[in-house]
Amino acid sequence: ALEDRRRCFLAVAIDEKIKEEIGRAAAVLPRALRPVAVESLHVTLRFYGEITSRERAVIEGYLGESLRRDPLSPFFLRLRGRGLFPSRGAPRVLWIGLSPVADGLIELARRGEGAAVAAGLPPERRPFSPHLTLARFREGQKSDGQEILSLLPDRFWGEWAVKSLSLMSSTLRPQGPLYRPLRVFDLKE
Ligand code: 3AM
């Protein structure tokens, strides 16, 4: 049934202090951008789209089993730099970079992809490009991406240890999406 579909994605949470710091920088961005709510800032590993509860059960089972069989240790992530998607033409997203990209993050994304395929979802064709979406450009607004980049300091934002990943639900609302964790998978200390 259509009504049991939920928009889901796999994500890694960001340290609270770092989110607050980033939120302060996002607050000065012009109206042409819609900042992501501070509490919603995250790093997406895999977007699953509108999936059924059955598909979700397969994804959860796959991830749980995968982490039991082949445990992954917590790893550090560092946020640094910023950029635009797409990098040429009218920008849609202002992001903060992950640099260096931890091997653990790549491995988690790989497992998130494995879970999608196990659930029968179409494989992701685009390469994984880890980032933190800070703000989205409002549609129909003319804005100079380079000028907006100059408003966001090109700095190191901080480092934190990733100890879990979360299967998130996303509810689209006029005031912006509401993200809620459906299931949290712990990495092995
Ligand atoms: O915040 P980021 O960019 O990391 O862009 C959406 C967001 O990722 C992405 O999934 C995350 C949670 O909504 N997303 C939304 N629709 C998507 C789609 N059709 C998508 N990613 C790929 N394809």
Side-chain angles (χ1 to χ4, degrees):
L2 257 175
E3 50 281 7
D4 84 334
R5 282 184 182 266
R6 254 190 196 175
R7 190 180 174 85
C8 294
F9 64 99
L10 195 64
V12 160
I14 296 165
D15 176 83
E16 295 294 329
K17 286 266 152 49
I18 300 175
K19 284 202 286 196
E20 285 166 22
E21 182 92 13
I22 290 172
R24 281 192 285 277
V28 307
L29 294 170
R31 275 276 307 164
L33 288 111
R34 198 164 17 90
V36 174
V38 171
E39 64 273 18
S40 296
L41 294 168
H42 66 273
V43 175
T44 301
L45 293 168
R46 175 57 150 96
F47 177 74
Y48 295 124
E50 305 263 340
I51 56 170
T52 64
S53 52
R54 191 181 289 227
E55 288 163 340
R56 190 177 124 202
V58 175
I59 288 169
E60 289 187 16
Y62 180 101
L63 291 171
E65 184 57 24
S66 156
L67 290 168
R68 254 190 312 276
R69 276 206 209 154
D70 190 5
L72 274 180
S73 300
F75 55 88
F76 286 96
L77 283 182
R78 296 172 184 83
L79 289 167
R80 192 196 313 271
R82 74 275 191 273
L84 302 167
F85 283 150
S87 54
R88 285 150 200 255
R92 286 192 298 271
V93 163
L94 171 63
W95 51 263
I96 286 179
L98 288 152
S99 166
V101 178
D103 290 344
L105 192 73
I106 306 279
E107 176 58 21
L108 287 183
R110 204 180 66 77
R111 296 193 190 194
E113 179 62 25
V117 171
L121 303 182
E124 178 62 70
R125 288 199 220 103
R126 291 173 296 181
F128 177 51
S129 72
H131 64 274
L132 183 168
T133 294
L134 179 60
R136 294 189 168 82
F137 287 78
R138 292 183 201 274
E139 285 199 29
Q141 291 259 345
K142 259 208 177 161
S143 40
D144 178 349
Q146 294 312 311
E147 195 181 307
I148 281 164
L149 279 187
S150 72
L151 297 174
L152 185 67
D154 185 8
R155 55 166 280 197
F156 172 69
W157 295 96
E159 175 188 61
W160 77 105
V162 175
K163 296 180 177 168
S164 66
L165 63 157
S166 307
L167 181 66
M168 308 292 295
S169 78
S170 164
T171 309
L172 301 179
R173 305 173 303 175
Q175 70 268 39
L178 175 66
Y179 299 147
R180 275 173 301 200
L182 296 171
R183 176 91 181 259
V184 177
F185 300 90
D186 290 325
L187 302 181
K188 200 170 174 180
E189 294 277 357

